[in-house]
Amino acid sequence: MGEPNIGSGKIVHEQHPLLKVPQKRGAGTAALAAAVLALGLLAGCAAPLPAPSAPVRDVAGDLVPENDEQAAVLAGKLDRAGQRLHSWKELAPALRASRAHIAGREPGQVAVAHGDVAVTWGDVAKTLDCLEALLPRLDAEPGLLAERFRWVKLKDGAAFSGYYEPVVKASRTRKPGYTAPLYRVPPDLRELNLGSFKSELIGQRVVYRMEKGKPVPYYTRAEIDGLDGRPGVLRGKGLELAWLSDPVDAFFLQVQGSGRLRFEDGKEMPVRFAGSNGKPYLSIGRYLADQGEIPTGQVSMQSIRQWLREHPELRDDLLRRNQRYIFFRKGPETSSGSITSGPVGSMGSPLSSMVSLAVDRTTFPLGSVLAFNVNIPDPSSPVEEGPVSTTPLFGIGLAQDTGEAIKGRRVDLFCGKGARAAYIAGHLNGPGEIWMLLAK
């Protein structure tokens, strides 16, 4: 996904985000690389966990194994109904997608290391295989999750937020009432993978364009959408996928990084994250809280939208503060409501509602099995203002996505689509506990 983060506290600002734009090479690439580097701008279903086979980067906290007694208590608390699962067997397709994603990994290669604990890709694969084999028994025998798996806790917990798949009214052409464009990746946007030049820079990328033969940073949100009083720089270049009725809808679609467009003829078209302008992300929810416009504990997608409705004259000034801009690609059109698969995550497979988690790859390996405990907003008791009612959710999740603002302990829960998902995702913003499950 793109940037599933909207509210106060949901952003951990990173200087060098990992971008998912396909690499584009061309004139100026070598010169840009030299400039960046020269200036130093980026510097069987019971063996013990193995030691790292090579130096790895330590991450944001320690993994602490639970003892068998505590693991049994935790396994007994898991609630599939809270994840809207009728049976644990419904996890099978998502488990297979994760297994396929890591199929080419070297089993002995370290996937992550936390303090004295290292996890190899072989550990992750074994866990996925073991869990899938046990699914037919888990409904009746939840204790198997303690008997067959180690529960390794992220010592200081995680900061949870949520994202979902919005459905937005759109037009295929610009016309009265539909004037906010969604853009494809522009042809002049280029990207340099710095990891190709220095191994310590793997995962670090620079987004740029060429101007008078020299690489320069790509355009900001204000320049692209014309929020600075000048015409948008991409207007009239044939890059529009569709037009929305409200710039705020376009903005939040970019925040979510994926969604569906619903046209007036009833057809729907999924749109997916395709790239970014590489600019820093600023949470407008955090900004409004810092300015005292919305109480910190009440920042949500819903409260931000309400503030924008009440202050239309300040809309452009607020939106332009988040310089990062997301570009989209389109999926096949279908009749309304007939799209069965959800948005595609970083693994290249559809995400599963209330199961798929966006994580930092250096905290949890993409594809790993996680158990999580967090209080989620209660959609059966919605509130417009004030504290949000919550209900506990203790579930099994899969690390199947990443996000440009998902760093360290930040974990984003994919909440699905529709009004219920929007309410949970829009208000979910708080601490929780998380464990990595590893087959014994």
Side-chain angles (χ1 to χ4, degrees):
M1 304 295 288
E3 302 170 86
N5 302 278
I6 53 175
S8 174
K10 290 193 175 183
I11 291 300
V12 179
H13 291 282
E14 278 292 305
Q15 189 175 7
H16 315 299
L18 172 64
L19 299 176
K20 295 189 278 271
V21 192
Q23 184 174 355
K24 299 175 182 286
R25 298 185 181 274
T29 299
L32 177 62
V36 169
L37 297 175
L39 290 173
L41 295 180
L42 294 173
C45 223
L49 296 176
S53 58
V56 294
R57 181 164 70 93
D58 196 24
V59 293
D62 293 334
L63 286 175
V64 181
E66 303 279 11
N67 59 41
D68 290 344
E69 292 77 13
Q70 183 61 25
V73 172
L74 294 169
K77 293 181 178 180
L78 288 166
D79 175 24
R80 67 177 185 273
Q83 295 180 268
R84 313 196 92 183
L85 298 173
H86 296 98
S87 168
W88 289 122
K89 290 185 287 187
E90 294 175 36
L91 291 177
L95 287 170
R96 291 169 191 154
S98 291
R99 188 65 179 90
H101 176 73
I102 68 168
R105 301 282 188 172
E106 178 62 38
Q109 181 184 3
V110 174
V112 295
H114 293 245
D116 296 329
V117 177
V119 178
T120 67
W121 288 110
D123 295 323
V124 178
K126 182 179 178 181
T127 300
L128 290 165
D129 292 342
C130 185
L131 181 55
E132 183 178 359
L134 292 175
L135 288 181
R137 300 172 57 186
L138 283 187
D139 293 350
E141 302 175 76
L144 290 171
L145 289 170
E147 295 174 17
R148 303 293 182 88
F149 299 90
R150 300 177 185 273
W151 288 59
V152 189
K153 184 178 182 179
L154 190 62
K155 183 174 64 175
D156 295 324
F160 280 84
S161 49
Y163 63 114
Y164 76 111
E165 185 180 28
V167 179
V168 184
K169 292 182 179 179
S171 171
R172 296 182 181 85
T173 60
R174 181 173 184 174
K175 62 183 182 180
Y178 291 90
T179 58
L182 290 184
Y183 288 121
R184 301 177 179 86
V185 176
D188 63 341
L189 185 148
R190 303 182 182 185
E191 178 192 349
L192 178 66
N193 181 358
L194 297 177
S196 300
F197 298 87
K198 281 192 174 183
S199 60
E200 61 266 33
L201 298 179
I202 290 175
Q204 310 300 332
R205 301 168 187 260
V206 172
V207 177
Y208 67 102
R209 62 186 177 85
M210 300 299 294
E211 186 175 280
K212 298 179 180 180
K214 296 181 179 180
V216 297
Y218 205 73
Y219 299 110
T220 65
R221 172 179 299 279
E223 292 170 321
I224 293 171
D225 275 345
L227 304 181
D228 54 4
R230 292 174 290 182
V233 294
L234 300 183
R235 289 291 175 100
K237 295 187 177 181
L239 297 172
E240 297 87 356
L241 281 174
W243 300 86
L244 308 188
S245 61
D246 187 349
V248 176
D249 285 341
F251 179 89
F252 279 112
L253 188 58
Q254 291 186 34
V255 170
Q256 296 302 319
S258 181
R260 301 183 192 185
L261 305 183
R262 181 171 292 163
F263 299 112
E264 293 175 297
D265 61 3
K267 293 287 186 69
E268 287 187 353
M269 182 178 76
V271 287
R272 306 298 185 229
F273 177 93
S276 156
N277 65 347
K279 294 295 184 180
Y281 182 98
L282 181 139
S283 166
I284 61 172
R286 169 76 62 82
Y287 175 80
L288 289 173
D290 290 344
Q291 298 299 309
E293 295 292 331
I294 301 177
T296 300
Q298 298 179 27
V299 174
S300 66
M301 179 179 65
Q302 290 80 359
S303 65
I304 297 170
R305 283 183 176 275
Q306 180 64 31
W307 188 93
L308 287 166
R309 285 193 293 269
E310 295 173 353
H311 302 84
E313 74 283 1
L314 299 177
R315 183 195 67 191
D316 289 355
D317 181 66
L318 179 63
L319 298 185
R320 73 193 303 270
R321 292 178 182 276
N322 177 21
Q323 295 185 44
R324 182 165 294 171
Y325 200 92
I326 301 301
F327 302 104
F328 293 93
R329 58 183 174 84
K330 66 179 181 179
E333 291 188 23
T334 68
S335 58
S336 178
S338 66
I339 300 174
T340 56
S341 63
V344 174
S346 298
M347 297 195 321
S349 57
L351 300 174
S352 298
S353 174
M354 306 305 287
V355 171
S356 296
L357 298 166
V359 300
D360 184 337
R361 300 171 194 254
T362 63
T363 303
F364 296 111
L366 205 58
S368 58
V369 178
L370 306 171
F372 61 96
N373 182 23
V374 65
N375 290 328
I376 64 168
D378 185 357
S380 67
S381 302
V383 296
E384 293 297 328
E385 297 181 0
V388 175
S389 298
T390 62
T391 183
L393 175 61
F394 204 120
I396 295 178
L398 294 170
Q400 295 189 318
D401 202 7
T402 59
E404 293 184 4
I406 306 303
K407 303 297 179 184
R409 301 178 185 282
R410 174 64 55 189
V411 174
D412 234 22
L413 173 64
F414 176 64
C415 300
K417 68 177 186 296
R420 180 181 186 277
Y423 184 83
I424 296 174
H427 291 92
L428 179 54
N429 182 26
E433 298 177 299
I434 192 162
W435 297 260
M436 189 187 308
L437 270 57
L438 297 168
K440 293 181 178 180

